[in-house]
Amino acid sequence: MTASTAQGGAPATVPAEFRRRLLEGMAAAIRECGYRDSTVADVVRHARTSRRTFYAHFPGKQACFLALLREANAAMVRQIAAAVDRRAPWDVQARQAIEAWIAAAQADRALTLSWIRDLPSLGTDARHLQRESLEAFIVLVRDLTDTPELRAAGVAPPSRQLMVMLIGGLRELIATTVEDGGDITEAAVRATQALLDPSRRPARA
């Protein structure tokens, strides 16, 4: 069996390639005219493929959009994790994570704006994606804060409730700067450092 075939002789590599092109086509369509005004025709034009190929992979425009956002969110989580030097002081690690998050959000403003403006109106499937995204960031924060280096510095992973507050607050700050401009880096870094700062942790009874 060749690398381009799966069990039963069905092609494996080619469908994956077409799916990638379609997701890139959706991203290009969003950058060109926004999600609401884009069409399947726009997606396949940018992907240099056919409607038949599109519908072989996705039942419609919304499904393609959600798949694109899911992959973009996973890539953002990986980018943030890779930007943090786990050997650095805890406050430096916090800064590295926040700066990487902001940079990732600003790297493709059209897609970030579409996440902010369009996703919330897309019903149950969109809500599931929002919850998946939140869980992915909770796992990321837990992984970044639950290390021997940070424990040695007195930093412990925040509670789930605090992580939800932190992630939600940072997302709102990032949404503000993507939509309206400005620089929220220092405010976001200070807020994150304050939440993690072991010197501010209340004493146990």
Side-chain angles (χ1 to χ4, degrees):
M1 183 174 65
T2 68
S4 62
T5 60
Q7 288 183 346
T13 303
V14 171
E17 177 187 345
F18 276 119
R19 186 179 188 278
R20 168 53 49 197
R21 284 167 56 181
L22 288 166
L23 293 179
E24 292 173 352
M26 172 61 77
I30 290 170
R31 296 182 195 111
E32 181 180 64
C33 55
Y35 171 73
R36 291 187 180 279
D37 292 332
S38 65
T39 65
V40 170
D42 294 322
V43 175
V44 299
R45 172 170 55 85
H46 285 291
R48 301 183 304 282
T49 186
S50 66
R51 282 177 174 269
R52 180 177 180 181
T53 299
F54 179 92
Y55 287 111
H57 289 82
F58 302 105
K61 184 180 82 165
Q62 178 171 316
C64 184
F65 177 57
L66 294 177
L68 171 64
L69 293 185
R70 181 173 284 108
E71 292 204 3
N73 188 73
M76 180 180 290
V77 168
R78 291 193 298 270
Q79 183 174 335
I80 295 168
V84 176
D85 179 359
R86 308 300 179 92
R87 299 164 298 179
W90 72 268
D91 54 335
V92 173
Q93 291 190 43
R95 175 175 292 278
Q96 290 170 338
I98 297 305
E99 289 178 346
W101 189 353
I102 294 172
Q106 292 180 335
D108 195 334
R109 287 176 175 266
L111 197 58
T112 301
L113 285 173
S114 195
W115 181 289
I116 296 165
R117 295 172 178 169
D118 300 318
L119 182 64
S121 66
L122 298 183
T124 302
D125 288 344
R127 180 58 183 156
H128 288 327
L129 178 56
Q130 288 174 314
R131 292 183 69 86
E132 285 179 23
S133 173
L134 175 62
E135 289 302 320
F137 273 91
I138 287 173
V139 171
L140 173 65
V141 173
R142 186 178 295 121
D143 287 347
L144 290 176
T145 55
D146 191 14
T147 65
E149 291 79 9
L150 266 65
R151 284 196 296 272
V155 176
S159 68
R160 179 181 176 86
Q161 290 80 5
L162 283 177
M163 284 193 280
V164 170
M165 290 175 61
L166 173 65
I167 294 163
L170 290 172
R171 278 184 167 166
E172 286 302 312
L173 277 175
I174 290 170
T176 297
T177 191
V178 170
E179 288 188 300
D180 303 327
D183 185 0
I184 50 85
T185 302
E186 289 306 315
V189 168
R190 287 198 300 270
T192 304
Q193 291 173 339
L195 184 145
L196 297 175
D197 191 345
S199 70
R200 299 191 183 192
R201 187 179 306 152
R204 296 190 178 185

